[in-house]
């Protein structure tokens, strides 16, 4: 156990966790909704500070981030646990056991160990990912500080359901984020994810204000969140509130966890969502989780030149020069583009 951050004591011995937008009020001896934060005698502790459940070296394109240090690798890790309970979770064996009262497993690894491993691996960055990094905030924050001091960038891959306090505590630590915007219907978040849409929308706008590099992902589920009206609304929100240079990743769904009654997303739905994103004015729209060379390519928004091609979640070819189109010279949005 490790002391938790971002909570306050209540007069009756309960604690109010301020880390995510659930704002759990936790009785003595009990855990919050995520299952990894526990009230011990009126103080809150995290149960995952020293429980790294997955760690890998990934291409940054796998996060997915297509416009942030393309072609580099990122040392990625996560603990068990999540503050959401999405019935379609594609990573439920890592995210859901603590919520179900099951054992929290993982390897003991300190922030210094993790940063040393990242440096040995040759990664350009550290990614907080796999489950939901919000719920391992303390481990993320301490690692991010050491990573930054070692010259590494920090990447947050998240469902965007943090509290405002959590985001602000991460403000000087994170360089880039990929945030899920799972749907534009409040009842989707409430019924299917056990959460709320409004905090996610607010956090996306806040992240834009914080100046992190931001890309957004939507998992397209047949018959659930794939209506043209909803997708146009979602893409319109991205274009209007976050800017047309915000890359939007539309990801293919596979039946998993508690949602096995739906087929995988058909390629034509992904193509339709791609077109709707472009019609909304977004300059960089991508289809993921499926081989689609054309729709994973970056085109110059000015002259249409093919600029950055990707394959197997990695960089294949880049024809930008100093972050500009090699044909017409127009700037291409991003950080560290060739
Ligand atoms: S992180 Fe969120 S879900 Fe977990 S205890 Fe805190 S408020 Fe509750």
């Amino acid at each position: 156990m490790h002391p938790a951050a971002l909570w306050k004591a209540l007069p009756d011995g309960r604690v109010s966790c301020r880390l995510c937008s659930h704002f759990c009020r936790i009785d003595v001896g009990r855990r919050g909704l995520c299952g990894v934060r526990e009230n011990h005698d009126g103080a809150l502790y995290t149960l995952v500070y020293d429980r790294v459940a997955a760690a890998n070296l990934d291409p940054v394109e796998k996060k997915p981030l297509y416009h942030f240090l393309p072609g580099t690798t990122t040392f990625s890790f996560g603990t068990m646990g999540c503050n959401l309970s999405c019935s379609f979770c594609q990573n439920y064996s890592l995210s859901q056991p603590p919520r179900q009262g099951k054992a929290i497993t993982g390897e003991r690894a300190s922030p210094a160990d993790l940063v040393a491993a990242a440096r040995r691996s040759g990664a350009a960055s550290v990614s907080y990912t796999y489950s939901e990094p919000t719920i391992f905030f303390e481990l993320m924050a301490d690692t991010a500080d050491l990573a930054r001091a070692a010259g590494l960038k920090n990447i947050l891959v998240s469902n965007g359901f943090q509290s405002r306090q959590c985001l602000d505590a991460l403000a000087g630590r994170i360089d880039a984020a990929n945030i899920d915007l799972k749907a534009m219907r409040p009842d989707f978040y409430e019924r299917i994810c056990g959460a709320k849409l409004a905090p996610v929308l607010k956090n996306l706008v806040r992240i834009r204000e914080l100046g992190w590099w931001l890309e957004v992902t939507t998992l397209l589920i047949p018959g659930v969140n794939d209506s043209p009206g909803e997708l146009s609304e979602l893409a319109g929100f991205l274009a209007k509130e976050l800017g047309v240079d915000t890359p939007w990743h539309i990801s293919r769904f596979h039946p998993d966890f508690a949602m096995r009654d739906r087929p995988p997303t058909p390629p034509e739905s992904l193509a339709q969502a791609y077109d709707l994103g472009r019609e909304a004015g977004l300059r960089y729209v991508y289809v993921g989780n499926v081989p689609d060379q054309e729709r994973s390519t970056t085109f110059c928004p000015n002259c249409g030149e093919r600029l950055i091609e990707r394959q197997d979640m990695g960089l294949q070819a880049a024809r930008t020069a100093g972050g500009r189109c090699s044909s017409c010279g127009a700037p291409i949005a991003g950080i560290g583009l060739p």
Side-chain angles (χ1 to χ4, degrees):
M1 277 200 310
H2 182 91
L6 300 179
W7 60 277
K8 66 178 185 186
L10 299 175
D12 56 6
R14 291 185 301 163
V15 298
S16 168
C17 179
R18 319 301 292 168
L19 190 55
C20 89
S21 291
H22 284 307
F23 298 112
C24 295
R25 290 173 168 239
I26 308 169
D27 289 327
V28 173
R30 305 300 295 265
R31 298 178 185 176
L33 276 176
C34 57
V36 301
R37 296 169 80 75
E38 189 167 298
N39 178 347
H40 271 268
D41 293 333
L44 191 64
Y45 291 83
T46 166
L47 308 178
V48 290
Y49 190 86
D50 57 356
R51 293 276 184 281
V52 174
N56 290 294
L57 185 65
D58 290 331
V60 72
E61 285 80 7
K62 200 173 171 185
K63 296 304 98 187
L65 285 177
Y66 280 8
H67 291 243
F68 184 80
L69 306 179
T72 63
T73 53
T74 182
F75 181 81
S76 306
F77 74 86
T79 70
M80 279 187 156
C82 188
N83 49 353
L84 269 58
S85 55
C86 306
S87 59
F88 53 84
C89 183
Q90 310 276 291
N91 207 10
Y92 66 96
S93 61
L94 209 55
S95 70
Q96 297 302 308
R99 297 180 65 101
Q100 298 161 342
K102 296 182 182 162
I104 300 169
T105 57
E107 302 288 322
R108 190 171 291 269
S110 70
D113 295 335
L114 292 162
V115 172
R119 293 188 70 183
R120 276 197 306 275
S121 73
S125 58
V126 178
S127 287
Y128 310 94
T129 180
Y130 296 141
S131 51
E132 171 49 50
T134 300
I135 60 87
F136 62 87
F137 170 83
E138 295 79 6
L139 178 61
M140 168 167 54
D142 289 352
T143 306
D145 288 343
L146 293 181
R148 177 160 283 209
L152 298 164
K153 301 295 184 193
N154 288 303
I155 294 172
L156 175 73
V157 182
S158 169
N159 58 33
F161 197 63
Q162 299 86 356
S163 64
R164 169 72 182 255
Q165 298 96 308
C166 174
L167 269 190
D168 288 351
L170 291 172
R173 293 171 158 131
I174 298 295
D175 300 287
N178 187 299
I179 304 292
D180 286 344
L181 180 52
K182 298 171 189 287
M184 281 304 271
R185 301 283 175 262
D187 77 301
F188 177 102
Y189 272 85
E190 287 160 22
R191 248 180 342 100
I192 300 180
C193 302
K196 288 190 164 52
L197 168 64
V200 179
L201 298 180
K202 273 192 205 153
N203 284 345
L204 285 165
V205 173
R206 178 65 183 152
I207 287 172
R208 175 56 80 225
E209 290 168 1
L210 289 174
W212 303 350
W213 178 255
L214 173 62
E215 305 194 15
V216 174
T217 296
T218 302
L219 184 75
L220 206 60
I221 308 172
V224 178
N225 65 349
D226 63 346
S227 76
E230 181 172 358
L231 291 172
S232 291
E233 191 183 334
L234 193 155
F237 170 85
L238 300 182
K240 182 163 177 281
E241 302 298 333
L242 308 182
V244 294
D245 283 337
T246 308
W248 183 34
H249 299 265
I250 307 153
S251 189
R252 188 183 198 211
F253 161 85
H254 297 278
D256 220 331
F257 190 36
M259 192 180 278
R260 294 176 189 267
D261 60 337
R262 308 268 159 185
T265 317
E268 50 276 19
S269 296
L270 295 165
Q272 183 185 49
Y274 177 94
D275 291 344
L276 291 168
R278 298 300 298 260
E279 283 166 24
L282 294 173
R283 292 174 170 157
Y284 309 107
V285 183
Y286 303 107
V287 160
N289 236 359
V290 62
D292 188 331
Q293 180 84 41
E294 193 70 8
R295 294 186 185 84
S296 60
T297 294
T298 302
F299 296 93
C300 174
N302 185 48
C303 72
E305 180 77 4
R306 297 176 79 86
L307 290 179
I308 305 177
E309 293 176 286
R310 304 168 183 90
Q311 201 167 35
D312 300 330
M313 299 305 272
L315 184 72
Q316 190 184 31
R319 291 181 210 90
T320 46
R324 291 180 172 271
C325 173
S326 52
S327 179
C328 73
I332 308 303
I335 307 279
L337 301 189

